Amino acid sequence: MQGAEDGSVLRLTGPVGLTPVEQVEILGQGIGRPLTAYPMSRSETHDALFASMPPPYASAIEGFFGDGTIDETSVNDTVAKVTGHAPRTLQEWVRENAGLFA
């Protein structure tokens, strides 16, 4: 999120660190459909990304996750500091937005 007073980019997290597998499980529970996340090799991931989106996006996503640039299992207090409110859990977000997945 951009908008810090000094122009820096803010990293926003929820209140709990979740692995991708946990995120998919929560989404599936919230929308009432079984969803399964499974690990893919770097080669499988590369092929799937480049088959489904423009190369610049595929490269960025592959680097973020494959190289460990993004770690969604860590938590910070940025949301509370910026907004004055605790961040919502993924379960809360899914309940509020389940209709988007219908």
Side-chain angles (χ1 to χ4, degrees), residues 24-58:
V24 169
E25 182 179 341
I26 290 167
L27 179 59
Q29 289 170 351
I31 64 173
R33 284 195 319 226
L35 300 175
T36 304
Y38 59 91
M40 295 170 63
S41 70
R42 183 74 182 249
S43 175
E44 291 172 312
T45 301
H46 174 90
D47 292 346
L49 288 171
F50 281 83
S52 63
M53 63 185 68
Y57 295 110

Side-chain angles (χ1 to χ4, degrees), residues 82-94:
V82 172
T83 68
H85 302 286
R88 293 178 294 170
T89 65
L90 182 56
Q91 289 89 339
E92 291 169 324
W93 184 90
V94 170

